[in-house]
Amino acid sequence: MSAFQALAAPTGGPTLAARNWMRGTQGQGAGGRAASSSAAPGRARGKCVTVASIRQREATGQQVYRKSIESRDSIRMGIPSKGRMAEDTMDLLDECQLKVRKINPRQYAAEIPNVPGMEVWFQRATDVVRKLISGDIDIGIVGYDMLREIGNEDEDLVVVHDALGFGGCHLAVAVPNSWEDVNSLRDLLSDTRWSKERPLRVVTAYMNLAEQFFKDQGFDNVELSTADGALEAAPAMGAADCILDLVSSGTTLRENNLKQIDGGRVLESQGVLVASRTALLNRPGTLEIIHEILERFEAHLRAEGLFMVTANVRGSSAEEVATSLAKNGSQLLRGLQGPTVSPIYTPSADGSPSKEGSFYAVSLGVPKSRIYETVKEIRKEGGSGVLVFPLTYAFDEEPPRWNALVNNLGLDARDYDFLKIGGGTKH
């Protein structure tokens, strides 16, 4: 891709000596953990291994170092400090009973009382990824776009949960509306205006992703430049021909006379939970904390949009009611795994058992959009006294993403069965 020109590259990187604001003491210096997940935890302190996978750093000759596990004892989580991503992250943690508590509102360190032993550090989204790589933090919440751009598929980064349900957007190419003949990436590629002497000028905040995307799509004559904001104004100003930027609703593009083109989507993005492979394997307690956070997230996100519908249904037995619902009712009356049916004690006025027959309570978990349909279906089966209320959590036997994580790490899930019931230690 020799014809590519990078006009500017992002700067900045992880701080090698982090101040421990929570305790008011100076953070320990960098140690030397190896870049691979098989690194032995007992390497001598003071030896650093350069991270070679962040191309912005390579281009400027800067070095990123990975700290050893022994450089600190605490488990650290990094979360965005500003913007909508920060607000949504705090909301999710709060809804999962993982409320973040700042000891001092002016400090960047905090804690989650329900997760003792873990520090929470507020960082810029870019620095959450950089510090995961450098070993300054062990766990992070960040947008997938930023993870791909800064992390550049570093092998030490493990996506624990890939769909936290907020920050949804996509990275895409947008061109001026006046380019009537350019409506697809193929049109842009075949445009004869671009040459080595006059390359297609693209402004973006995602230099790594942009370079890889245009290279993969067969573009030879592209000039990439970067900007911190207001990318949409660049084509109108003549500073660029088109942009590659995050798109949510598309309103900003339309208001700046820009349009997306077919085939121009680079990736889909939303908030993700990420962790350091080295920390998960070697820092005591990290895997256990990840299990708890993951289980809380999964249970809450699974329950989001689900409502419990409960009704009284007359029948001779619980089995008869369940059979009738399964036989005559629709799929809605089967709930998540099947209806929950339990007897109701309905005494007469004198306190004796009712002679009108037995009632059974039927409970079903259904999507919010199907509540009224479910109510009508239950009424067909003789249901009355219907109650509807939202669900907060829907815990599974074990989060599917936990099993995927354990397999990714090359561990035996049976060694961590004790985490399902709490307490105990790994055997």
Side-chain angles (χ1 to χ4, degrees):
M1 205 170 181
S2 57
F4 269 87
Q5 302 175 47
L7 298 186
T11 59
T15 303
L16 295 181
R19 183 175 300 276
N20 191 327
W21 293 98
M22 296 181 73
R23 297 184 176 89
T25 59
Q26 182 68 31
Q28 297 182 19
R33 73 174 167 86
S36 88
S37 60
S38 59
R43 290 183 181 269
R45 300 189 189 188
K47 181 181 177 183
C48 296
V49 180
T50 302
V51 176
S53 67
I54 308 181
R55 283 177 288 184
Q56 308 105 300
R57 309 289 289 185
E58 289 181 323
T60 57
Q62 300 180 58
Q63 292 181 317
V64 180
Y65 299 104
R66 290 191 166 174
K67 295 184 178 179
S68 69
I69 287 293
E70 298 88 352
S71 64
R72 58 181 165 83
D73 296 325
S74 61
I75 298 170
R76 291 177 177 171
M77 180 180 190
I79 61 177
S81 57
K82 295 180 180 179
R84 182 62 183 270
M85 183 68 72
E87 295 172 7
D88 290 340
T89 297
M90 293 291 280
D91 287 344
L92 175 62
L93 291 169
D94 195 12
E95 290 164 357
C96 294
Q97 304 302 307
L98 295 171
K99 189 174 182 64
V100 177
R101 183 172 72 93
K102 272 191 174 184
I103 298 175
N104 184 324
R106 293 177 178 270
Q107 294 178 351
Y108 292 100
E111 64 181 2
I112 297 177
N114 282 344
V115 186
M118 184 179 75
E119 301 172 359
V120 177
W121 289 78
F122 290 91
Q123 300 287 300
R124 292 188 304 173
T126 53
D127 287 337
V128 170
V129 183
R130 290 190 178 108
K131 290 181 179 179
L132 274 166
I133 294 175
S134 67
D136 287 295
I137 62 176
D138 308 302
I139 305 165
I141 294 178
V142 71
Y144 182 66
D145 60 300
M146 202 58 64
L147 176 68
R148 285 288 306 278
E149 170 65 17
I150 304 298
N152 198 27
E153 299 184 318
D154 189 283
E155 292 182 357
D156 195 58
L157 298 176
V158 179
V159 178
V160 179
H161 198 300
D162 59 350
L164 295 181
F166 60 81
C169 57
H170 61 272
L171 188 64
V173 176
V175 303
N177 286 333
S178 59
W179 292 9
E180 296 180 356
D181 296 331
V182 178
N183 296 297
S184 69
L185 198 65
R186 180 175 295 182
D187 295 338
L188 188 62
L189 177 61
S190 61
D191 197 318
T192 57
R193 287 178 291 177
W194 322 128
S195 65
K196 185 175 182 179
E197 292 72 27
R198 175 55 172 92
L200 173 68
R201 299 170 303 156
V202 183
V203 63
T204 182
Y206 296 83
M207 298 290 282
N208 281 339
L209 290 171
E211 180 178 344
Q212 189 62 50
F213 176 74
F214 285 110
K215 179 180 179 181
D216 291 345
Q217 298 301 322
F219 283 77
D220 292 323
N221 303 301
V222 175
E223 180 182 272
L224 301 177
S225 61
T226 188
D228 293 330
L231 271 65
E232 294 84 0
M237 295 175 65
D241 299 309
C242 62
I243 70 172
L244 190 151
D245 199 15
L246 289 179
V247 180
S248 182
S249 65
T251 301
T252 304
L253 291 182
R254 291 190 293 272
E255 291 179 348
N256 285 274
N257 297 312
L258 296 173
K259 62 181 180 181
Q260 297 182 69
I261 56 177
D262 293 340
R265 286 201 180 198
V266 179
L267 59 76
E268 303 291 327
S269 180
Q270 64 175 301
V272 295
L273 175 65
V274 194
S276 159
R277 182 183 302 272
T278 302
L280 290 172
L281 291 172
N282 300 312
R283 190 178 300 287
T286 306
L287 200 57
E288 288 78 1
I289 284 178
I290 274 290
H291 179 274
E292 178 172 348
I293 294 174
L294 181 59
E295 187 156 44
R296 287 175 181 262
F297 282 3
E298 288 260 338
H300 174 67
L301 293 171
R302 188 183 183 209
E304 209 166 43
L306 285 179
F307 280 70
M308 184 63 71
V309 177
T310 301
N312 300 330
V313 178
R314 197 186 304 276
S316 59
S317 68
E319 291 76 11
E320 187 268 332
V321 171
T323 300
S324 176
L325 292 175
K327 181 179 179 180
N328 303 322
S330 67
Q331 184 67 34
L332 286 173
L333 299 188
R334 299 181 184 180
L336 300 178
Q337 292 179 317
T340 300
V341 182
S342 55
I344 299 175
Y345 176 66
T346 53
S348 299
D350 60 0
S352 62
S354 174
K355 298 180 177 58
E356 298 178 0
S358 300
F359 276 98
Y360 291 85
V362 175
S363 299
L364 303 161
V366 299
K368 183 178 182 180
S369 60
R370 310 294 296 276
I371 290 175
Y372 189 53
E373 294 175 62
T374 304
V375 172
K376 290 190 289 185
E377 289 289 335
I378 289 179
R379 284 174 176 165
K380 290 179 184 178
E381 298 303 311
S384 61
V386 182
L387 302 177
V388 180
F389 49 91
L391 293 176
T392 304
Y393 301 104
F395 287 95
D396 215 334
E397 182 179 1
E398 191 71 281
R401 287 182 174 86
W402 167 254
N403 294 325
L405 173 63
V406 171
N407 290 334
N408 186 321
L409 297 174
L411 302 175
D412 189 337
R414 292 172 296 182
D415 292 339
Y416 298 90
D417 281 346
F418 68 92
L419 293 175
K420 291 192 282 188
I421 58 176
T425 56
K426 177 183 173 182
H427 299 294

